[in-house]
Amino acid sequence: MERIRNKIARWHNSILSQGGKLVLLKHVLCSLSMYTFATWNLPKMVTRQMERDFSSFFWGHYEGHGKRVWASWPTIARQYKEGVLGIRRLHEVVGAFSIKLWWKLRL
């Protein structure tokens, strides 16, 4: 979580569009956590906190206060075919890796 928070802190100071933030969120922040999810079974509290950090990065801050949130995180974190941004929910990723590990151990 510390690595993710450090990256977010560095990017908060730069001026990024919502599209740029979305690309960084989907391809950098989510992929940093994939290795951890594949090797550890994290508690839900940790994944919720990570999603809160992702949400605050995506929506941004202005003078120390959060900007207006136009849609809730569960709403925008759906697949493209449902008509939203396509960000993966972390608890679903953790569940998928748990099933994959169970399947490998079963064989």
Side-chain angles (χ1 to χ4, degrees):
M1 282 187 58
E2 196 61 37
R3 287 180 60 199
I4 290 173
R5 285 186 178 157
N6 289 338
K7 288 212 181 270
I8 288 174
R10 280 185 276 165
W11 292 334
H12 265 301
N13 296 330
S14 61
I15 299 172
L16 295 170
S17 67
Q18 289 301 107
K21 288 180 182 180
L22 180 64
V23 169
L24 286 174
L25 181 70
K26 286 172 56 174
H27 296 290
V28 177
L29 295 178
C30 290
S31 60
L32 274 176
S33 57
M34 289 300 149
Y35 175 75
T36 306
F37 293 154
T39 55
W40 297 90
N41 190 9
L42 297 176
K44 288 183 181 181
M45 182 182 73
V46 173
T47 57
R48 283 188 201 130
Q49 182 59 45
M50 289 172 72
E51 284 186 345
R52 272 190 222 115
D53 293 342
F54 291 173
S55 176
S56 68
F57 169 69
F58 182 72
W59 294 113
H61 293 283
Y62 179 72
E63 295 179 0
H65 301 290
K67 288 185 178 178
R68 182 176 300 261
V69 176
W70 293 102
S72 67
W73 190 254
T75 302
I76 64 171
R78 292 187 191 156
Q79 297 177 357
Y80 281 121
K81 63 184 175 185
E82 294 179 16
V84 289
L85 301 178
I87 301 169
R88 300 180 74 183
R89 296 292 308 263
L90 296 181
H91 73 274
E92 293 172 356
V93 174
V94 169
F97 277 122
S98 297
I99 292 170
K100 181 179 178 182
L101 181 62
W102 174 81
W103 186 256
K104 283 184 176 184
L105 292 174
R106 188 169 184 265
L107 296 176

